Amino acid sequence: MKIPSSIWTLLIGIVLTLVSLWYGQNHGLLPAAATDEAVLVDGLFNAMMIISTGIFLLVEGILIYSAFRYRRRAGDNQDGPPVEGNVPLEILWTAIPAIIVIGISVYSFDVYNEIGGFDPHAIHEAPMMNQESMAMPGSAMAATLSDTPPSTEPNLNQEKSDEAMQDPATAAVRNADQIPQKRNAPGVGSVAPTIGGTPDKAGKPPGLQVNVTGLQYAWLFTYPETGITTGEMHVPIGREVEINMTANDVIHAFWVPEFRLKQDAIPGRQSEIRFTPKKAGDYALICAELCGPYHGAMRATVVVEPEEAFDKWMQEQLVASKETLNQAVALNSADLSPNEFLAPYTKDMGIKPEILHQVHH
């Protein structure tokens, strides 16, 4: 009994659909999802894998079948029949990819909106950087200085003063524009890249704020509520975290694969990311922008832990900060001014004395 070609086409279509659906949900290509937002991104990725698998199997199957079915037989020296084209078939294989691309585009935009990426109200004017401002060459100095360069605009002076009080550990770093050719350059946009709160949390304050500064080749994390500055970020499970991020020298990128979030840290701009951790563990923060010869080593650890463990860590950091300050005061037995005390170190590091107006207390 000969099975009609239409039945074969239906059976093959069913098999391809089932295989694509199974592999799209079981590909194992993504690391464990560690945030609430990661579920939405995974859904989009799985949908794209389902479509890609189906197209791959269909195209490769037709190629293999055609190569076997229409291969040149022994003794066949004739030319093949001339084929001028098939208009309905050409319309079909043009329309189907177009529909697929439009569908993925709409789905992608919806996911981007759901994770808080589409926020037209996040546009704000970028601050004008002072020409004399400079960056801190090392994370150790960046963690102790709280100087803010003077601004030509009174309102910005007040804003930077407030920022220095709330976040003294990285104020000098966060207000520095390292790239001379970019300072006050024409055409520089004022849109800050943002992944804000999800629609159900829009307009609500985050549960925790962390200021992040990227510099060659390290990450600095400051908790403005306490003034703690560390090279390792800790966040509690279940509390929405807002990251306010900038760069001190060149463009860096904040990327934690398990969070499914990546955002650029740009000199002279402040980027924002919001996410809600949901799975405890230690995760690698990777710089995803080529930022120099040691770019591959620019990594840090993000620790997601229960609320109790996070509170304990915060207390430990506060105690450690006080002990470090006491040790620094003890070393300054000659009662030198901050500039005089730090002069031997800053001279070797190439830091101008003008930037040492204050020492973080």
Side-chain angles (χ1 to χ4, degrees):
M1 178 180 176
K2 184 178 180 180
I3 300 178
S5 58
S6 58
I7 301 298
W8 277 115
T9 303
L10 178 62
L11 293 175
I12 293 172
I14 292 174
V15 172
L16 288 178
T17 302
L18 293 176
V19 172
S20 301
L21 287 171
W22 177 84
Y23 184 74
Q25 302 292 332
N26 299 276
H27 50 75
L29 299 176
L30 296 175
T35 63
D36 292 345
E37 295 76 11
V39 177
L40 298 170
V41 179
D42 287 358
L44 173 61
F45 186 85
N46 291 344
M48 296 175 65
M49 284 300 301
I50 291 171
I51 296 172
S52 301
T53 302
I55 294 176
F56 173 80
L57 294 177
L58 178 63
V59 173
E60 294 302 317
I62 292 176
L63 287 175
I64 293 173
Y65 171 78
S66 299
F68 177 79
R69 174 68 176 79
Y70 300 106
R71 70 188 185 280
R72 181 179 178 183
R73 311 285 179 171
D76 184 3
N77 298 320
Q78 297 180 354
D79 292 336
V83 178
E84 297 182 358
N86 188 318
V87 175
L89 185 60
E90 292 175 0
I91 293 175
L92 183 65
W93 69 38
T94 301
I96 291 178
I99 294 172
I100 292 174
V101 170
I102 293 173
I104 292 177
S105 300
V106 173
Y107 188 11
S108 300
F109 181 83
D110 182 64
V111 170
Y112 186 60
N113 183 50
E114 287 297 319
I115 66 174
F118 181 70
D119 185 4
H121 301 293
I123 299 176
H124 62 276
E125 291 299 325
M128 300 292 289
M129 297 301 171
N130 187 279
Q131 295 289 339
E132 299 299 324
S133 66
M134 65 175 292
M136 313 306 296
S139 60
M141 296 304 300
T144 58
L145 300 178
S146 61
D147 179 62
T148 54
S151 171
T152 58
E153 299 181 13
N155 291 339
L156 291 179
N157 278 328
Q158 181 62 40
E159 293 174 4
K160 291 182 180 181
S161 176
D162 294 342
E163 181 187 37
M165 295 180 63
Q166 296 176 1
D167 184 4
T170 56
V173 177
R174 296 174 62 79
N175 290 325
D177 188 359
Q178 270 293 89
I179 309 178
Q181 65 269 27
K182 293 297 183 181
R183 294 193 188 111
N184 304 330
V188 176
S190 61
V191 179
T194 292
I195 298 180
T198 56
D200 60 314
K201 298 178 181 177
K204 299 179 181 179
L208 176 68
Q209 284 188 325
V210 183
N211 292 341
V212 178
T213 302
L215 65 160
Q216 295 172 316
Y217 298 92
W219 295 99
L220 291 178
F221 309 100
T222 298
Y223 296 79
E225 294 181 0
T226 59
I228 293 174
T229 298
T230 68
E232 180 179 270
M233 187 168 74
H234 285 239
V235 293
I237 296 175
R239 196 195 299 185
E240 187 184 34
V241 180
E242 179 184 87
I243 291 180
N244 298 309
M245 178 170 50
T246 189
N248 191 40
D249 33 43
V250 299
I251 296 177
H252 301 280
F254 183 100
W255 179 42
V256 181
E258 290 81 3
F259 293 177
R260 308 292 193 269
L261 296 174
K262 185 174 80 69
Q263 187 63 276
D264 285 348
I266 305 171
R269 297 288 187 271
Q270 181 168 292
S271 309
E272 176 188 316
I273 297 179
R274 286 199 183 194
F275 60 90
T276 304
K278 71 172 185 177
K279 186 175 182 180
D282 295 352
Y283 304 101
L285 166 58
I286 304 169
C287 177
E289 292 284 354
L290 182 59
C291 58
Y294 301 102
H295 158 74
M298 186 171 172
R299 294 188 172 217
T301 301
V302 179
V303 180
V304 179
E305 56 194 357
E307 189 79 30
E308 298 78 12
F310 174 76
D311 292 339
K312 180 180 179 182
W313 177 82
M314 291 288 283
Q315 292 299 322
E316 292 173 351
Q317 295 303 309
L318 288 171
V319 173
S321 298
K322 292 180 181 179
E323 292 178 352
T324 302
L325 180 60
N326 292 335
Q327 292 174 2
V329 172
L331 289 174
N332 190 8
S333 56
D335 196 24
L336 300 175
S337 68
N339 287 7
E340 294 172 331
F341 180 64
L342 295 172
Y345 308 99
T346 57
K347 182 179 180 181
D348 294 337
M349 300 173 69
I351 300 176
K352 295 181 180 180
E354 295 81 27
I355 203 169
L356 301 178
H357 297 314
Q358 288 183 345
V359 175
H360 172 43
H361 292 285

